[in-house]
Amino acid sequence: MQEVNKLWQQLLEKLELSVSNVSFVMWFKPLKVVDFTENKTLVLSTKSSFAKNQILKNYFDKLKSVAGEIFGEDVEIDVLDPNEEKDYLSKNKPNLSKNDVEPARNVFNPKYTFGNFVVGKCNQTVYAAARAVAENPGKNFNPLFIYGGVGLGKTHLLHAIGNYVRETYPKMKVKYVTCEQFTNDYIESLGSSIKNKTNSEFREKYRNVDVLIVDDIQFISKKTSTQEEFFHTFNDLHQFGKQIIIASDRPPKEIETLEERLRSRFTMGLIQDLQTPDFETRVAILRKKCQLEKYSINDDALNYIAEKIDSNVRELEGMLSKVCFLSNLIGKSSADLNDVKEAFSDKYDEKNEGGSNADQIIQAVCNYFDITKDDITGKKKSKEIVEPRMIAIYMISEMLELPLVTIGKIFGGRDHTTIMHARDKITAEMKTNRKTQTFVNEIKKMLKSG
């Protein structure tokens, strides 16, 4: 059933556009397909029982909904932890062959190559560095540390390096993992009843490679033992001239959970940032996507998309796919400006709770905290202003899904990394801080009532 893999990748792509980046990386990206049964049950496996519980508790409805769109409304979902997966495989013969499920096990995406990466002023240096590393692993820029905001092309470059090395140096062992996968593998090795053997297997898995690619290092655990293991893994590989590539949404100095000795190791090589693409690069990205997917859309429509979405390549390409899909759905051979405007209208209405816009959200926050709009959008840095400002940024991001650059302009021209920091800080506090939860919920009530 080779078609299952294609459908699974479509499901992941759709989920990636509909949930936060943190949620996707932590819970959905590590999932793998175990089986697709004759009665249309999609059997999935997680990396840990904790991950399974989080998915069932917080994300199962979303997973089921998207699976219904891709696999059919009558599809059922069964989520297994690692032990349950072993039991399942011992009792059942899956309908999928090894080749069927391999792409879900971190095989590099064949679409993510250097040839398909659009190079502009915003990324030409990091592209050149990635290419140099791929051409001579362990010889140039070791480690290579790539950082940048969500959807700017980090994962594309990591996969491009992996694809190039595997094609050019087929005898080299290349391993790609997310930081969350590394952590889970290490925790699993600690909890085994045959601890010494499992620790040995873990180290063999991560240290007996020629190229190690680690994505989303910003999620590294605060636990000393996890960072200790990663530190020794890094040292072993670097000592023997093995290539290390690391990606993050921020530079090493801004990763709060990072121990100083790891931060020092990460800065030994080359640190490169992926910047927001300029207008010309965004148009070129859209044209490349049209070429690869055989989309038909006129220039005015392409330019409109590039003007509206200015900070996220993933979102840019997602909107193009949506426009062309809707256009084909109504029987048009080519999408035009009207199709684009209709798609954007749907997008910004989707999560607009109570019909609120950015100005109304800001005014509600100002009223709640008894401050002025000039205070909240200005440069004041007192706690009485900073906290409401971050809450306003979080609420606009959550309720309206505006691009980070657009939100930055609303708040006095702040850059997208500042906006991202504020959003992520309040997002984290909403999980544990009752005071912050109360602030946000009461402001939402104000918006709905008034």
Side-chain angles (χ1 to χ4, degrees):
M1 296 183 63
Q2 298 178 352
E3 187 66 19
V4 173
N5 257 341
K6 183 178 179 180
L7 294 174
W8 175 245
Q9 294 304 319
Q10 291 176 12
L11 184 149
L12 287 178
E13 290 172 6
K14 192 171 184 66
L15 277 172
E16 192 170 10
L17 294 171
S18 62
V19 300
S20 71
N21 184 56
V22 173
S23 297
F24 181 77
V25 169
M26 290 293 288
W27 312 121
F28 294 115
K29 196 173 180 180
L31 285 174
K32 65 181 180 183
V33 178
V34 175
D35 196 4
F36 187 59
T37 67
E38 293 180 358
N39 66 349
K40 295 197 70 174
T41 296
L42 185 63
V43 183
L44 305 174
S45 177
T46 60
K47 294 294 289 185
S48 66
S49 57
F50 177 73
K52 173 190 171 179
N53 291 336
Q54 287 295 310
I55 290 171
L56 294 180
K57 180 180 178 181
N58 300 313
Y59 303 101
F60 186 78
D61 289 344
K62 168 67 74 174
L63 179 60
K64 183 77 159 53
S65 173
V66 176
E69 295 178 29
I70 303 297
F71 285 86
E73 293 182 1
D74 55 343
V75 70
E76 295 294 331
I77 304 288
D78 191 7
V79 182
L80 311 177
D81 64 30
N83 289 331
E84 291 170 336
E85 178 191 7
K86 291 176 184 176
D87 291 341
Y88 182 93
L89 292 174
S90 68
K91 298 174 183 176
N92 300 275
K93 183 179 180 180
N95 288 321
L96 304 174
S97 69
K98 182 179 184 294
N99 290 334
D100 285 329
V101 297
E102 193 64 28
R105 295 175 181 258
N106 289 328
V107 168
F108 296 104
N109 189 328
K111 291 183 179 180
Y112 289 163
T113 64
F114 288 120
N116 291 340
F117 188 85
V118 177
V119 182
K121 292 180 180 179
C122 58
N123 57 30
Q124 58 188 4
T125 305
V126 66
Y127 171 84
R131 185 104 195 191
V133 162
E135 290 174 353
N136 294 287
K139 307 297 183 184
N140 299 312
F141 315 132
N142 197 15
L144 173 63
F145 191 105
I146 300 173
Y147 73 93
V150 176
L152 294 184
K154 296 188 299 296
T155 300
H156 188 139
L157 281 177
L158 298 185
H159 282 248
I161 292 171
N163 281 319
Y164 187 95
V165 172
R166 282 192 167 175
E167 182 178 345
T168 310
Y169 306 101
K171 293 184 178 181
M172 279 192 171
K173 293 182 180 179
V174 186
K175 186 167 187 60
Y176 167 86
V177 292
T178 65
C179 182
E180 194 253 354
Q181 287 171 310
F182 178 90
T183 302
N184 282 343
D185 283 350
Y186 179 61
I187 291 172
E188 186 176 327
S189 75
L190 293 178
S192 173
S193 59
I194 49 172
K195 182 175 177 180
N196 291 336
K197 178 183 177 183
T198 307
N199 277 341
S200 175
E201 290 175 352
F202 172 84
R203 288 169 183 168
E204 175 75 10
K205 180 178 181 179
Y206 282 97
R207 302 187 193 184
N208 187 28
V209 298
D210 298 293
V211 179
L212 177 63
I213 304 173
V214 183
D215 204 353
D216 297 310
I217 197 66
Q218 72 272 12
F219 294 120
I220 195 164
S221 170
K222 292 182 180 180
K223 294 181 179 178
T224 305
S225 58
T226 305
Q227 296 209 27
E228 178 89 17
E229 187 60 40
F230 192 83
F231 176 79
H232 291 305
T233 298
F234 183 102
N235 282 348
D236 268 18
L237 293 174
H238 195 272
Q239 177 183 350
F240 290 103
K242 308 303 183 182
Q243 181 67 52
I244 304 162
I245 303 109
I246 300 168
S248 171
D249 67 356
R250 68 203 76 168
K253 64 181 180 180
E254 294 181 13
I255 303 176
E256 297 175 357
T257 58
L258 204 59
E259 291 182 0
E260 189 56 41
R261 59 179 179 169
L262 270 179
R263 187 176 285 111
S264 174
R265 291 298 187 278
F266 293 169
T267 57
M268 288 168 53
L270 180 68
I271 300 176
Q272 287 289 303
D273 67 318
L274 275 165
Q275 301 172 2
T276 303
D278 55 29
F279 175 77
E280 291 77 11
T281 304
R282 297 197 298 273
V283 172
I285 289 169
L286 291 173
R287 292 191 188 283
K288 173 64 75 171
K289 182 74 172 177
C290 288
Q291 177 187 340
L292 293 174
E293 304 295 339
K294 296 182 170 47
Y295 291 149
S296 180
I297 182 171
N298 67 34
D299 288 344
D300 287 342
L302 277 183
N303 291 340
Y304 189 91
I305 296 173
E307 287 172 357
K308 282 286 186 180
I309 300 177
D310 57 5
S311 63
N312 189 315
V313 174
R314 192 179 300 140
E315 187 179 353
L316 191 72
E317 294 181 336
M319 178 55 71
L320 174 65
S321 299
K322 178 179 180 180
V323 168
C324 293
F325 172 76
L326 293 175
S327 174
N328 290 335
L329 202 61
I330 59 176
K332 297 176 69 171
S333 59
S334 181
D336 57 29
L337 189 57
N338 289 331
D339 299 317
V340 174
K341 288 183 176 180
E342 184 175 346
F344 269 95
S345 175
D346 291 343
K347 171 180 173 56
Y348 292 117
D349 284 343
E350 280 175 1
K351 289 183 69 177
N352 192 344
E353 300 180 28
S356 303
N357 58 37
D359 285 338
Q360 290 169 331
I361 293 170
I362 290 173
Q363 192 57 57
V365 173
C366 289
N367 292 342
Y368 185 84
F369 289 100
D370 194 24
I371 58 178
T372 68
K373 184 176 179 180
D374 288 341
D375 288 333
I376 206 170
T377 60
K379 297 184 178 180
K380 291 183 179 180
K381 295 184 178 180
S382 62
K383 186 178 186 301
E384 293 76 12
I385 303 300
V386 170
E387 186 175 26
R389 182 184 293 141
M390 290 196 296
I391 288 175
I393 289 170
Y394 163 79
M395 292 183 68
I396 290 173
S397 176
E398 181 199 44
M399 296 168 67
L400 303 184
E401 288 191 338
L402 294 176
L404 295 176
V405 171
T406 300
I407 299 175
K409 290 176 181 176
I410 293 171
F411 286 87
R414 287 175 165 82
D415 63 48
H416 75 280
T417 55
T418 301
I419 299 302
M420 184 189 303
H421 172 75
R423 179 201 63 191
D424 292 349
K425 181 174 175 58
I426 301 301
T427 297
E429 288 188 5
M430 285 293 290
K431 297 176 182 177
T432 58
N433 191 317
R434 287 190 177 182
K435 185 178 74 170
T436 303
Q437 293 168 0
T438 299
F439 289 161
V440 171
N441 290 334
E442 289 185 352
I443 294 168
K444 285 184 176 181
K445 288 178 183 177
M446 291 170 59
L447 288 165
K448 289 179 180 178
S449 63

